[in-house]
Amino acid sequence: MEDRKLTRQDLRRCWRSWMMYNLSSMSFERLESFGFCLSMLPVAKKLYPDLQERKEMLKRHASFYNTEPQLGAIVNGMVLGLEEKRANGEPIDGETINTLKVGLMGPVAGIGDSMIPGMLIPILLSIGMALAAGGNILGPLFYCVAWLAIILPGSWFLFLKGYRMGSTSVEMLVSSKSNRLREALSLLGVFVMGGVAASYVKLGTGLEFITKDGVNIHLQQMLDGIFPQLLPLIVVLGTWYLMAKRGLSPVKAMLMLLVLAALGVAVGLFAA
């Protein structure tokens, strides 16, 4: 049997297909399966010249699949490495490859969702929002450039790591060192989001009281003297509680805040 060795160019083509099209064909039945299958397509003919074997490979990777795409590139690399070994005659059956892929998509998704949309994106957006204040174009430019500068080399590194190390490469994502890194990033995300909330959440009340002595008391001035920015803090903590502890969706949370703001301004509770 001829040696069916993948080149770096082959690997790059597979990685590029996954990164560009992982979410391009979505359904509740398949989710990212066709994106995963497409990432195997550039090397399918090279690994399996036999048409029937090639059909089996593509059918194998067209089954249900869903994970966080950026960190999930490590699974693509692992599967590609296993397919290469199988094509070269090693005793690896297709069911083993598919079982490994399906078994890893959940844990990798949990890690990736907490690190990418849960921490990295809010941090980059908060910095971009601060730069964009007043219409500065550096805000959106920073986000786009920073996102690509982090995600592209990061996902390529994970893809190669998965290809070279196989199933052992997943330990890199779940080791004690990676846990400490995620905890550090979580703490950084808390500080950043706290700063964003303090800078951008504005809320004041227009309520006034007149004492028996005829003294006019502005409630907002009194609150600022006791606890500045108390009302924005209550809004942030209340929204967090409803979303984290009561399962309120982000869309419903935004609608709730919009309705409360409109009613509060209409009755004079909040300052317009």
Side-chain angles (χ1 to χ4, degrees), residues 196-218:
V196 171
S199 301
Y200 291 97
V201 179
K202 305 294 183 183
L203 181 63
T205 179
L207 293 179
E208 299 180 1
F209 301 97
I210 300 178
T211 65
K212 295 180 179 180
D213 300 330
V215 178
N216 193 4
I217 299 177
H218 296 273

Side-chain angles (χ1 to χ4, degrees), residues 138-240:
L138 287 178
L141 286 179
F142 166 81
Y143 175 77
C144 294
V145 172
W147 167 257
L148 293 175
I150 295 172
I151 289 303
L152 292 182
S155 63
W156 172 240
F157 169 79
L158 290 173
F159 182 87
L160 289 180
K161 203 75 171 177
Y163 169 75
R164 291 169 180 165
M165 298 182 62
S167 58
T168 59
S169 60
V170 181
E171 296 176 3
M172 179 178 59
L173 294 179
V174 297
S175 64
S176 58
K177 290 184 178 179
S178 65
N179 289 334
R180 289 196 295 269
L181 176 60
R182 289 196 298 273
E183 290 174 0
L185 290 174
S186 298
L187 186 59
L188 176 61
V190 170
F191 278 112
V192 171
M193 296 311 296
V196 171
S199 301
Y200 291 97
V201 179
K202 305 294 183 183
L203 181 63
T205 179
L207 293 179
E208 299 180 1
F209 301 97
I210 300 178
T211 65
K212 295 180 179 180
D213 300 330
V215 178
N216 193 4
I217 299 177
H218 296 273
L219 181 59
Q220 185 61 51
Q221 292 180 358
M222 184 176 68
L223 292 176
D224 289 341
I226 300 172
F227 196 140
Q229 302 298 322
L230 176 61
L231 294 181
L233 177 63
I234 293 175
V235 170
V236 172
L237 293 179
T239 305
W240 168 82

Side-chain angles (χ1 to χ4, degrees), residues 111-131:
I111 298 168
D113 288 343
S114 63
M115 293 183 67
I116 306 299
M119 288 183 292
L120 179 61
I121 291 178
I123 290 173
L124 295 180
L125 282 176
S126 64
I127 298 174
M129 288 165 57
L131 292 174

Side-chain angles (χ1 to χ4, degrees), residues 9 28 36 163 236 253 261-262:
Q9 184 179 4
F28 287 111
F36 196 100
Y163 169 75
V236 172

Side-chain angles (χ1 to χ4, degrees), residues 4-145:
R4 300 167 186 174
K5 180 67 177 176
L6 298 179
T7 65
R8 193 174 182 86
Q9 184 179 4
D10 293 330
L11 297 177
R12 188 177 295 110
R13 288 165 59 199
C14 293
W15 167 77
R16 185 169 59 241
S17 295
W18 170 250
M19 290 304 295
M20 292 183 65
Y21 304 112
N22 53 69
L23 300 176
S24 61
S25 180
M26 295 281 286
S27 70
F28 287 111
E29 180 186 7
R30 302 282 183 170
L31 289 178
E32 298 172 356
S33 62
F34 291 135
F36 196 100
C37 184
L38 184 63
S39 72
M40 300 289 117
L41 198 59
V43 297
K45 191 171 184 179
K46 184 174 184 178
L47 291 178
Y48 299 105
D50 181 74
L51 180 60
Q52 186 59 36
E53 289 185 338
R54 190 158 67 247
K55 285 182 178 179
E56 291 177 0
M57 173 193 174
L58 296 179
K59 184 178 180 180
R60 182 161 59 244
H61 297 305
S63 59
F64 177 86
Y65 183 75
N66 187 40
T67 194
E68 199 284 316
Q70 279 54 249
L71 264 68
I74 193 172
V75 180
N76 294 67
M78 290 168 52
V79 169
L80 200 59
L82 293 174
E83 290 286 0
E84 182 185 34
K85 292 178 180 179
R86 183 175 187 273
N88 283 286
E90 295 193 24
I92 302 174
D93 59 75
E95 186 62 29
T96 299
I97 297 176
N98 196 56
T99 300
L100 179 68
K101 181 184 76 172
V102 174
L104 288 176
M105 68 180 185
V108 172
I111 298 168
D113 288 343
S114 63
M115 293 183 67
I116 306 299
M119 288 183 292
L120 179 61
I121 291 178
I123 290 173
L124 295 180
L125 282 176
S126 64
I127 298 174
M129 288 165 57
L131 292 174
N136 194 331
I137 197 174
L138 287 178
L141 286 179
F142 166 81
Y143 175 77
C144 294
V145 172

